[in-house]
Amino acid sequence: RVHLPGKKPVQPGGSDIVELEMAEPVVAAPGDKIVLRAENASATLGGGFVIELLAARLKRRQGIVDGLKERARHLDDPAALVRGCLIAASERGTTVDDMVARTALRPDVMPALLSELETSREAVPIGRSGRWILREAFERVTRRIDEAVVKLHEKDVAVPELSLAAVRAAVARNEAAVVEDAIQHLVSKGRLVKTAAGGVHHKDHSSELPAKDRDRCERVSALLAKGAGRPPEIDDLEAEAGLSTPEALRALKLLESRGRAFKTETHWFDGPFVEAAKERIRAFAAEQGGFKPADVRDMLDTTRKWLIPFLEALDKSGFSRRVGDKRVVRES
């Protein structure tokens, strides 16, 4: 099939950009000459040369056609062929192997060509994935991520940081490797700030709690601190703080995101209490070569009801690990 991506039909004797949709796969590369004949070879319909190999149909836009015409004028320029691959790949980026296959250039000439495009600030290598992307397309991705982070913050200004999973989900249509590198680029430029917990927040984001949240968090925090190694049940917490279940859970999550609460499978502990407990456990383990539940139970004045979920949560957080009948503190 012959498709016409331009807006006008090709007149007899004229020439234009056309798409050939093959019935069967063919081997072709930019610059190859082609002749179209009738099915029984009784007549020659036209001829030309290959400009680009397509993964999908072109959109009917004059700008795309004009770009292909410009590329057609530089098919004897290896750098232009590589640039054409990057333009076609757009925000997905592409690999060196794919560019070799699409341009029919020798693999050994690609490093110099890509280095030239990087030096001229036309192309960007993507981290360790081996992908390359046109700088203009990469900048579009970084802008999209920057805007997505701002919108995610606007949904709940009280949340101090966003998980990388949430950021990735917001721009899921982009190639994962490109997104990862774009996030790192925004961090290096100071547009995004990476947190100790592994999340990010926008440099302009203020996580100051609204008055209602601040009041609820202070009430809940005071009850957690009072409970220490025997924190209150969620029902008791709600009753004593005068909060509904959603309000109490929101307060706990906001406190957790600020390091002021520590969640186990069954309870929430006071954040400062947990940090102090970890220091005591660390000192004890260094002296004794590890620790057992009974050691921590006496140290924190608690019982197995709270202790076992607490120790399991410490293991899960990466603070400690089990070795036989003891636990040891992981290296920092």
Side-chain angles (χ1 to χ4, degrees):
R1 288 194 175 92
V2 179
H3 304 289
L4 303 179
K7 295 183 178 179
K8 297 179 181 179
V10 181
Q11 299 300 322
S15 65
D16 205 344
I17 301 291
V18 300
E19 281 184 86
L20 300 183
E21 184 180 355
M22 315 304 292
E24 297 178 359
V26 296
V27 177
D32 284 355
K33 294 179 180 178
I34 54 175
V35 175
L36 296 184
R37 300 190 191 279
E39 191 168 9
N40 59 5
S42 61
T44 297
L45 306 179
F49 51 87
V50 177
I51 301 173
E52 184 180 313
L53 309 181
L54 303 174
R57 289 283 310 280
L58 288 173
K59 295 180 180 179
R60 292 175 62 85
R61 293 178 186 166
Q62 191 59 42
I64 292 176
V65 174
D66 292 341
L68 286 168
K69 286 181 177 178
E70 177 62 26
R71 230 172 293 166
R73 286 191 279 271
H74 300 283
L75 287 178
D76 57 346
D77 178 0
L81 291 177
V82 174
R83 191 181 296 109
C85 282
L86 294 170
I87 291 171
S90 187
E91 295 175 10
R92 300 186 310 278
T94 186
T95 64
V96 174
D97 287 346
D98 187 58
M99 287 186 277
V100 168
R102 288 181 172 275
T103 61
L105 294 171
R106 297 196 319 273
D108 62 322
V109 307
M110 294 299 290
L113 292 172
L114 290 167
S115 177
E116 180 184 328
L117 290 173
E118 184 180 10
T119 301
S120 64
R121 297 182 59 78
E122 293 180 78
V124 179
I126 302 299
R128 300 177 183 177
S129 69
R131 300 182 78 83
W132 285 78
I133 187 172
L134 208 64
R135 178 170 292 277
E136 180 184 338
F138 185 68
E139 289 174 351
R140 286 200 302 272
V141 176
T142 57
R143 282 196 300 273
R144 188 173 296 122
I145 292 172
D146 189 275
E147 292 165 2
V149 169
V150 171
K151 288 180 180 177
L152 287 170
H153 280 315
E154 288 173 352
K155 289 183 178 179
D156 192 343
V157 296
V159 176
E161 66 182 81
L162 305 168
S163 69
L164 289 178
V167 177
R168 294 180 190 119
V171 288
R173 70 184 182 89
N174 286 106
E175 186 74 28
V178 177
V179 170
E180 293 303 315
D181 217 59
I183 290 173
Q184 293 305 317
H185 175 77
L186 289 168
V187 170
S188 70
K189 293 297 182 182
R191 291 292 297 173
L192 298 183
V193 178
K194 207 158 190 177
T195 67
V200 293
H201 65 78
H202 199 274
K203 73 176 184 68
D204 298 326
H205 177 61
S206 171
S207 58
E208 183 177 350
L209 289 170
K212 273 187 178 180
D213 282 320
R214 188 164 57 249
D215 175 62
R216 292 167 181 165
C217 284
E218 291 308 321
R219 278 185 272 166
V220 170
S221 181
L223 292 170
L224 294 182
K226 181 181 176 182
R230 306 179 185 216
E233 303 288 341
I234 188 70
D235 292 345
D236 296 332
L237 187 66
E238 294 167 12
E240 292 186 51
L243 301 175
S244 66
T245 299
E247 290 170 344
L249 289 175
R250 175 174 171 78
L252 287 166
K253 288 176 181 177
L254 289 174
L255 288 170
E256 182 186 24
S257 68
R258 287 160 170 76
R260 294 175 59 192
F262 180 76
K263 188 178 187 300
T264 72
E265 188 70 29
T266 55
H267 292 84
W268 297 77
F269 285 76
D270 177 54
F273 167 82
V274 172
E275 290 306 310
K278 286 162 67 175
E279 289 305 313
R280 294 174 67 185
I281 294 170
R282 186 180 282 111
F284 181 91
E287 184 178 327
Q288 301 295 325
F291 62 95
K292 294 182 178 181
D295 301 322
V296 180
R297 181 192 62 205
D298 298 335
M299 193 185 304
L300 305 184
D301 184 27
T302 186
T303 70
R304 288 185 63 85
K305 172 183 174 180
W306 291 280
L307 177 63
I308 299 306
F310 176 72
L311 293 179
E312 290 173 348
L314 287 183
D315 292 344
K316 193 173 180 180
S317 72
F319 172 77
S320 54
R321 62 185 176 89
R322 297 191 67 159
V323 178
D325 63 344
K326 283 188 173 184
R327 281 182 167 85
V328 296
V329 175
R330 291 178 181 269
E331 294 294 331
S332 299

